[in-house]
Amino acid sequence: TWSLMPQNIEIGGRNYARELGGDNYNINRVFPTDRQYTTVVTVDGKLWLKQSGYSIFRIAAIQIEPNTTYTWSFNIYKTGSEQQITVYQWDGGAYGHKNYIVGNLPVRIKHTFTSRSNSAQEILHLRDLGTSDEWYFSDFKLEKGDKATDWTPAPEDVQEQIDEAKQEAEEAKQEAQNAMSTADGKNTVFRQENTPPTTNRKVGDLWFKTDEGNKMFVWTGEWTETKLDYQALSVGKLSAISADLGN
């Protein structure tokens, strides 16, 4: 952060509003009473929170510091005619009331307030929405200072996505290792004229020497000629082979 003098207001950029923007929306970040009226929808390829049938929209409580300047910013539009709404804060009581005009085209509201001396949490309120229209909200950002910066996810959300990606990579790695272990548990059967390679062999690997009537060799640390003895085999199934059974 850097200090804006002489007002001594810090301009941060860190988003304190989690899971309320980009491609990450969690209904549980909406105030509990309002969740039943709110859904996540896609409009022209972008995710929005949509609310209808209720005259107020609130964000669930976010911890803040007392006597500190913060700025909310978010996108909003509605169906129906243009309308004035009131945006304000709540922490045991209402404060910071300001009015904004909202219409059919998305606008980004930038709402600055200073927390009170006893403030410990912030519950954003949008009032006077009415119940007949549909309201759309996206990309909420709560940051310190009196300037709104471009939306960015909360650091916790970024870390959460990194952790999820790591977990998925680890699971994929484990699946690959399991598949390799399964494959490693099977013996290899060679049907060829030349001696197979001696590297990466397993005891019980078979070689049928095709230029000598499919003479059979088993790997015992070296290629050892053998008669067809079921105890010498470590394969699941043999088919379409011939062998000299001797006597």
Side-chain angles (χ1 to χ4, degrees):
T1 62
W2 58 279
S3 180
L4 181 65
M5 300 297 291
Q7 294 89 345
N8 197 31
I9 295 176
E10 289 186 348
I11 304 301
R14 183 205 191 284
N15 191 354
Y16 292 89
R18 293 199 56 191
E19 300 176 306
L20 287 170
D23 59 357
N24 185 8
Y25 287 86
N26 185 345
I27 290 294
N28 290 328
R29 301 295 179 179
V30 175
F31 194 77
T33 306
D34 305 350
R35 293 171 193 166
Q36 60 183 310
Y37 305 100
T38 307
T39 57
V40 179
V41 298
T42 301
V43 180
D44 295 332
K46 178 176 175 54
L47 292 180
W48 294 78
L49 291 175
K50 172 186 172 184
Q51 178 176 296
S52 59
Y54 201 46
S55 63
I56 193 168
F57 177 81
R58 292 164 288 189
I59 298 298
I62 298 173
Q63 290 185 341
I64 60 172
E65 300 172 10
N67 297 318
T68 303
T69 297
Y70 290 90
T71 295
W72 274 105
S73 56
F74 54 91
N75 301 322
I76 182 172
Y77 74 96
K78 66 183 292 290
T79 60
S81 58
E82 198 172 67
Q83 187 171 332
Q84 176 178 285
I85 66 170
T86 302
V87 178
Y88 60 96
Q89 282 51 63
W90 183 280
D91 185 8
Y95 69 100
H97 296 70
K98 294 179 182 178
N99 296 327
Y100 301 90
I101 300 297
V102 179
N104 300 146
L105 297 178
V107 294
R108 189 156 185 84
I109 287 180
K110 301 172 183 178
H111 176 83
T112 298
F113 69 97
T114 299
S115 58
R116 301 185 296 186
S117 60
N118 61 343
S119 293
Q121 63 179 7
E122 156 65 355
I123 302 177
L124 177 67
H125 280 57
L126 282 65
R127 196 185 66 191
D128 303 326
L129 306 185
T131 58
S132 59
D133 296 327
E134 296 175 347
W135 292 80
Y136 297 83
F137 317 95
S138 71
D139 295 341
F140 286 85
K141 187 170 187 177
L142 174 64
E143 57 191 312
K144 286 183 177 180
D146 62 350
K147 302 294 183 184
T149 59
D150 291 342
W151 181 85
T152 53
E156 298 88 343
D157 294 343
V158 174
Q159 186 59 49
E160 188 175 80
Q161 291 178 340
I162 292 174
D163 292 342
E164 289 176 357
K166 286 182 177 179
Q167 181 63 29
E168 291 175 359
E170 185 60 32
E171 290 174 357
K173 178 181 177 182
Q174 188 60 49
E175 288 179 4
Q177 289 176 340
N178 291 341
M180 185 178 298
S181 297
T182 299
D184 286 347
K186 298 178 180 178
N187 289 104
T188 304
V189 178
F190 295 93
R191 296 180 176 85
Q192 61 190 57
E193 177 181 342
N194 299 323
T195 304
T198 58
T199 56
N200 299 321
R201 296 279 60 81
K202 291 184 179 298
V203 173
D205 284 357
L206 295 177
W207 168 33
F208 295 96
K209 193 168 175 28
T210 55
D211 64 336
E212 296 186 26
N214 285 321
K215 182 182 292 185
M216 184 172 71
F217 296 79
V218 65
W219 181 259
T220 60
E222 60 180 2
W223 289 114
T224 304
E225 183 179 354
T226 185
K227 304 297 183 181
L228 186 59
D229 179 356
Y230 73 92
Q231 292 180 331
L233 300 180
S234 180
V235 295
K237 182 173 63 177
L238 292 175
S239 63
I241 65 170
S242 63
D244 181 1
L245 299 180
N247 297 324

